[in-house]
Amino acid sequence: MQYFVQQLINGLTLGSIYGLIAIGYTMVYGIIGMINFAHGDIFMVGAFTALIVFLILGALFYSVPVVVALLIMMIVAMLLTSLYNWTIEKVAYRPLRGSFRLAPLITAIGMSIALSNFVQVTQGPRNKPIPPLVSQVYTIDGISISLKQIIIVIVTIVLLAIFWYLVNRTALGRAQRACEQDRKMAALLGIDVDRTISITFIMGAALAAVAGTLFLMYYGVVVFSDGFVPGVKAFTAAVLGGIGSLPGAVLGGLLIGFIESMWSAYFSIDYKDVAAFSILAIVLIFLPSGILGRPEVEKV
């Protein structure tokens, strides 16, 4: 039983990171109906930015409190990745918004490859480790809970609450929901559609940067290829939870994290990805819109 609970905690931690990335996918898809496959690489860029900021802080200051260091790493990573995502949306996606549906998808894949290769060239192909930022571990009845796991779960809960409030209780959220329902009508009603979409990309990038910083803190290492697999799993989480639903994205991330953790613990670790995607296929057979997704209504 202790081993089972330990794996639940590990799955909760991993799923929280997937959930933060998945929110960015689900917000962009909810408004413009496009899968931003470069989002996983934005997450990776956020992790590398946090790493560089950590190294700069270590070089400039003899000692920096961990809380301050993490906050600075997150803020700088959020600013830089937001700039990246805003530029990608403005340069690569906006000119193709009225084109055929495959054009933005192909462009998104191209931007993903470009970001990955850019980081590989500038930072090198090898793993980039950092010293442990948070090392405290609490043991309760034989179950180990590290402080960094607690931080990851708390940050995920707080950010989900903040973004849920922004989407459902603010003027920006009303504009986003209007654009989701009908962009042309939203423009006729005075909503700046391009500005709303750009802000949505910025918000998604900020969440991916936080996830990247937490990923770096948790695993202590990052490499240029780290954007692909977490990005695909986060997209899977968004679909599983119900694409377009913020709580659904986090729920899907948690489910993927639990499936991976439990499968790795009790079965072969080599097939944990197969298990996650198999569960996705089974759920979508019975719930095509995902667990919390709303079925699309065709307008006539």
Side-chain angles (χ1 to χ4, degrees):
M1 190 62 188
Q2 291 176 341
Y3 186 65
F4 177 79
V5 174
Q6 185 70 65
Q7 295 307 315
L8 280 179
I9 295 172
N10 295 338
L12 177 64
T13 306
L14 181 60
S16 297
I17 295 176
Y18 288 155
L20 285 177
I21 309 172
I23 292 176
Y25 277 112
T26 202
M27 289 181 70
V28 171
Y29 183 86
I31 290 182
I32 62 176
M34 182 196 119
I35 302 300
N36 179 19
F37 276 112
H39 191 65
D41 294 279
I42 291 292
F43 155 79
M44 178 267 298
V45 169
F48 264 99
T49 303
L51 170 66
I52 294 170
V53 171
F54 173 78
L55 295 176
I56 292 174
L57 290 174
L60 294 179
F61 303 100
Y62 176 74
S63 178
V64 179
V66 173
V67 175
V68 176
L70 280 174
L71 282 176
I72 295 175
M73 290 162 63
M74 280 187 185
I75 291 171
V76 176
M78 290 168 71
L79 291 174
L80 186 62
T81 54
S82 296
L83 178 61
Y84 268 118
N85 226 23
W86 176 80
T87 304
I88 289 172
E89 190 276 330
K90 190 175 181 64
V91 173
Y93 298 155
R94 187 178 299 180
L96 298 173
R97 198 174 295 159
S99 182
F100 64 101
R101 292 181 65 87
L102 283 179
L105 176 63
I106 295 170
T107 305
I109 295 173
M111 291 308 305
S112 172
I113 296 171
L115 280 175
S116 178
N117 288 342
F118 170 73
V119 174
Q120 182 183 11
V121 170
T122 56
Q123 301 299 321
R126 297 183 178 179
N127 292 346
K128 302 294 182 180
I130 64 168
L133 292 175
V134 181
S135 56
Q136 292 94 325
V137 177
Y138 308 101
T139 303
I140 304 173
D141 294 332
I143 300 170
S144 298
I145 305 175
S146 64
L147 180 57
K148 56 188 176 183
Q149 289 178 314
I150 297 173
I151 292 173
I152 290 172
V153 173
I154 290 176
V155 169
T156 301
I157 293 172
V158 171
L159 287 178
L160 174 61
I162 291 173
F163 275 74
W164 182 88
Y165 179 82
L166 285 174
V167 171
N168 290 279
R169 294 290 186 269
T170 65
L172 172 61
R174 286 192 292 272
Q176 289 175 324
R177 285 181 279 124
C179 292
E180 176 185 359
Q181 293 178 10
D182 192 325
R183 291 204 300 273
K184 290 183 179 179
M185 182 57 69
L188 290 174
L189 293 174
I191 294 173
D192 190 336
V193 175
D194 288 338
R195 175 176 172 270
T196 302
I197 293 174
S198 294
I199 293 175
T200 303
F201 271 83
I202 290 172
M203 292 167 65
L207 283 171
V210 173
T213 306
L214 297 176
F215 177 89
L216 179 67
M217 177 193 71
Y218 188 59
Y219 290 104
V221 66
V222 65
V223 68
F224 76 95
S225 59
D226 275 343
F228 178 73
V229 174
V232 170
K233 290 180 180 177
F235 170 63
T236 303
V239 175
L240 179 61
I243 195 111
S245 168
L246 266 64
V250 176
L251 175 61
L254 293 176
L255 289 175
I256 295 294
F258 287 140
I259 292 168
E260 284 194 14
S261 179
M262 291 301 174
W263 191 274
S264 301
Y266 294 102
F267 303 99
S268 173
I269 192 173
D270 297 329
Y271 297 101
K272 62 183 177 68
D273 294 340
V274 176
F277 291 116
S278 299
I279 295 295
L280 170 67
I282 293 170
V283 170
L284 291 182
I285 289 173
F286 298 100
L287 296 171
S289 301
I291 297 174
L292 298 181
R294 293 169 297 180
E296 293 187 2
V297 178
E298 293 290 338
K299 298 178 182 178
V300 295

